Amino acid sequence: MSRLSVRRTLQRPQVRRIAGNTVWLMSERVARGLVAVLVTAAVARYLGASQFGILSYALSFVLLFSTLWTLGLSGLVVRELVRKPYEFNETLGTLFVLRGVGGLIGVALIVVAANLVGLDNDLARTAIAILAVATLFHSFDGIDFWFQSQVRSRYEVTARLVALAVTAATNVMLIVVQAPLIAFVFAVALEHVVAGVSLVAVYSWTGQSVLRWRPTMAKARFLLSASWPLLLSGAFSAINLRIDQIMLGNMAGAAEVGTYAAAARLSEIWYFVPTAIAASVFPALLHAREASRQAYERRQQQLYDLMALISIPIALAVSLLSPILVHVIYGPEFASSALVLSIHVWAGPFVFMAAILSKWLVAENLLKFSFIRHGAGALTNVVLNLLLIPQFGGVGSAIATLVSYAVASHLASFAYRPTWGAARRMTLALAAPPRYLLAAVRQATR
């Protein structure tokens, strides 16, 4: 048997495993996206723009502090679990303690900050406090990372689908009984709780136990010392992702947040695609890096091209159909969301490529650049929102989001020599649709 045949034989099981894992992840994300559209539309129609804006503001406010419980450790923990699978109990136990402590600090800071800068509304502050407490259940997300490292995401998917089903059913019931806004806040919090409990259940079902986790100071020092650039980049990323709705709420009011959030939900439902693909291929990308530099770089370009080939047609279709989509899904009260959606959706291609870029930065240990690029994006977003919201409202915020995502995900890579290769690959990927179309035409005419 030739060397090439041996290599192909060895790779086939891995390829099938990655493909199967991606199908599971994609299935969960598709289900989540569809349910999110249906439930969000129903809740938005029931609550109206103003109350839906309060709910969206509370969610964004809490997620602004998400770095305090994620600690920027997700990619780093997966890498550690792939490289040292025999230390998984130590790694998961340490992560659980770190996230628990970070979550408690986060809850305290969120409650204090909400009373200082939140909407002038007691209901908004109460909603923020409830959602903040629910985030403590993210301490069990290490189980998700373990399944990712094992390329066995079907278990994690099962847990999250259970949480999704419970939350969707709860929201429908609340609409039927005409419940107040605070009940929908508890429904959102319930998803975090059920997801955490379900992860523990499926982890136990596979023969493992959280009682075997062994947190150690040595592992904590290692993770924290290695993750501080990711922690800072996570903080800047959270600002870049959520500051738009917070600034809109404080500068334009809850109703403006509602119409903007409705558009953003439709724009962002596609973001499950890059997340699922990147999570599935990350372990294989790490192995490819060790095996062949040429194959490693070729695989990166293929992944960037794939992201562009998926996201650009989506952005074009949604942008053209935005008035129809908004009218059908949300109704006439949210008509102003159409223009916001047609702009906001073009941030998608940069988000798609950023999923691969972030994994590559972890693989190459270029973590310091991660917080630089996210910092540049966050600064761009804040400055543009300050300039554009007073005059254009939600439309101005959508423009700020698009530009800031382009800066953080693509343009910043040109400013740092070690990332020039990634910048070149992303630039080439943005031209992937005409490149592949031209190649197909040439092939057909031969």
Side-chain angles (χ1 to χ4, degrees), residues 2-317:
S2 68
R3 184 177 179 181
L4 180 59
S5 298
V6 172
R7 182 180 301 173
R8 286 176 176 172
T9 301
L10 291 173
Q11 287 181 341
R12 282 172 190 160
Q14 183 186 44
V15 171
R16 288 197 299 269
R17 194 175 181 185
I18 292 172
N21 195 68
T22 303
V23 168
W24 274 98
L25 288 171
M26 293 286 283
S27 299
E28 187 262 341
R29 300 308 195 275
V30 169
R32 181 174 295 277
L34 291 174
V35 172
V37 169
L38 295 175
V39 172
T40 299
V43 171
R45 281 174 174 267
Y46 171 74
L47 294 177
S50 183
Q51 286 202 321
F52 183 67
I54 294 174
L55 178 61
S56 300
Y57 181 94
L59 282 166
S60 295
F61 196 96
V62 171
L63 290 174
L64 187 65
F65 293 82
S66 60
T67 307
L68 292 171
W69 61 83
T70 63
L71 300 175
L73 288 170
S74 56
L76 185 63
V77 168
V78 174
R79 188 184 71 178
E80 188 72 4
L81 290 169
V82 170
R83 292 180 175 178
K84 300 177 180 179
Y86 48 87
E87 294 183 357
F88 76 95
N89 278 320
E90 182 180 331
T91 301
L92 295 180
T94 303
L95 178 65
F96 177 77
V97 172
L98 291 176
R99 284 198 156 190
V101 173
L104 290 172
I105 296 172
V107 170
L109 290 178
I110 288 169
V111 172
V112 171
N115 283 282
L116 293 176
V117 299
L119 287 174
D120 187 18
N121 187 306
D122 290 338
L123 184 56
R125 289 191 286 271
T126 302
I128 289 170
I130 293 169
L131 295 175
V133 173
T135 62
L136 292 173
F137 284 84
H138 283 283
S139 299
F140 294 105
D141 281 354
I143 297 172
D144 180 2
F145 306 149
W146 183 74
F147 283 128
Q148 286 184 35
S149 71
Q150 300 288 309
V151 198
R152 298 167 63 193
S153 291
R154 63 183 182 275
Y155 300 105
E156 173 260 332
V157 166
T158 301
R160 299 203 182 277
L161 285 178
V162 169
L164 179 64
V166 171
T167 304
T170 303
N171 275 289
V172 171
M173 181 189 69
L174 293 176
I175 293 173
V176 170
V177 301
Q178 297 187 332
L181 172 60
I182 195 65
F184 291 91
V185 175
F186 277 106
V188 175
L190 179 64
E191 183 173 4
H192 297 285
V193 177
V194 176
V197 173
S198 298
L199 280 174
V200 174
V202 296
Y203 186 67
S204 300
W205 188 79
T206 60
Q208 304 298 332
S209 174
V210 296
L211 298 179
R212 298 183 195 138
W213 289 355
R214 300 187 307 273
T216 66
M217 285 299 298
K219 183 66 72 172
R221 284 194 296 268
F222 168 76
L223 291 176
L224 291 177
S225 63
S227 71
W228 70 264
L230 288 175
L231 192 151
L232 291 176
S233 68
F236 287 132
S237 177
I239 293 172
N240 201 19
L241 286 169
R242 299 299 170 182
I243 199 64
D244 47 5
Q245 295 186 36
I246 294 172
M247 294 182 73
L248 268 177
N250 290 332
M251 299 173 68
E256 192 73 16
V257 178
T259 55
Y260 179 88
R265 295 286 178 88
L266 288 181
S267 176
E268 294 169 356
I269 61 171
W270 310 102
Y271 293 0
F272 70 86
V273 177
T275 302
I277 294 174
S280 288
V281 303
F282 185 43
L285 200 62
L286 292 173
H287 292 306
R289 184 178 181 274
E290 302 297 328
S292 168
R293 192 74 189 183
Q294 184 178 6
Y296 176 57
E297 293 180 356
R298 183 173 62 252
R299 183 168 296 180
Q300 289 177 62
Q301 186 63 64
Q302 291 170 345
L303 289 171
Y304 283 124
D305 287 351
L306 176 63
M307 295 303 188
L309 288 169
I310 296 172
S311 61
I312 291 176
I314 288 175
L316 181 60

